[in-house]
Amino acid sequence: ALPISGLYPLYNRVERYLEEFPEERSTLQIDGPYNETFYQKLTNLSTEDDGSVEYAATKIHQYRVAMTAKDCSIMIALSPCLQDDCSEQRSVVTASKSRFFFSVSILDLDFKPYDNIPHQYVRDSKIGRA
């Protein structure tokens, strides 16, 4: 994903377009729905900026997905498994002579809001100057 300094001009391009054509916000899927069509757009890995609003919106969406992944947490829980308790129905991992039940969870997968981009730009600019 682009750094915020490279993304911000693309955000401004989309904002100018949306000021003129506010009804296009849904076409560009700024607020969703985050469905198969949306995810297909994310696979466009073109690095050549053709000046289009669609290019800018795709790069913004890719950035938002990257920031969501960067911010998520992965939680792994282990608990000892006694020989009698260890059944094939639960996930078990063996380490040395011990066995553990385990579970894996991914937390904080809230999609980063489009409207937060200006805030992120200002924050990163301040960090860069510090």
Side-chain angles (χ1 to χ4, degrees):
L2 286 171
I4 190 69
S5 59
L7 186 81
Y8 195 64
L10 300 176
Y11 171 83
N12 287 330
R13 181 187 306 169
V14 171
E15 281 297 288
R16 283 190 303 272
Y17 180 78
L18 291 176
E19 284 175 12
E20 194 171 340
F21 305 102
E23 70 281 0
E24 290 295 305
R25 191 173 177 101
S26 62
T27 304
L28 294 173
Q29 292 183 283
I30 298 298
D31 305 307
Y34 306 122
N35 55 19
E36 189 64 31
T37 303
F38 176 81
Y39 291 110
Q40 285 298 320
K41 290 179 185 177
L42 292 178
T43 62
N44 179 358
L45 301 178
S46 172
T47 56
E48 179 102 18
D49 186 351
D50 60 5
S52 70
V53 171
E54 290 78 14
Y55 172 86
T58 297
K59 291 303 171 191
I60 289 167
H61 293 322
Q62 289 170 346
Y63 175 84
R64 292 169 64 202
V65 168
M67 291 302 101
T68 299
K70 180 179 169 185
D71 194 39
C72 80
S73 299
I74 300 173
M75 184 171 67
I76 302 171
L78 299 170
S79 61
C81 169
L82 301 174
Q83 199 68 354
D84 299 344
D85 293 340
C86 292
S87 68
E88 296 299 319
Q89 297 175 354
R90 294 183 62 187
S91 301
V92 176
V93 64
T94 303
S96 301
K97 296 179 181 179
S98 302
R99 296 177 76 183
F100 299 91
F101 294 119
F102 72 91
S103 66
V104 178
S105 301
I106 301 175
L107 310 170
D108 193 14
L109 284 174
D110 300 331
F111 198 53
K112 300 304 172 209
Y114 169 83
D115 298 326
N116 279 8
I117 291 174
H119 170 73
Q120 292 168 347
Y121 177 72
V122 169
R123 185 193 63 212
D124 284 14
S125 296
K126 287 179 182 177
I127 290 170
R129 283 184 260 141

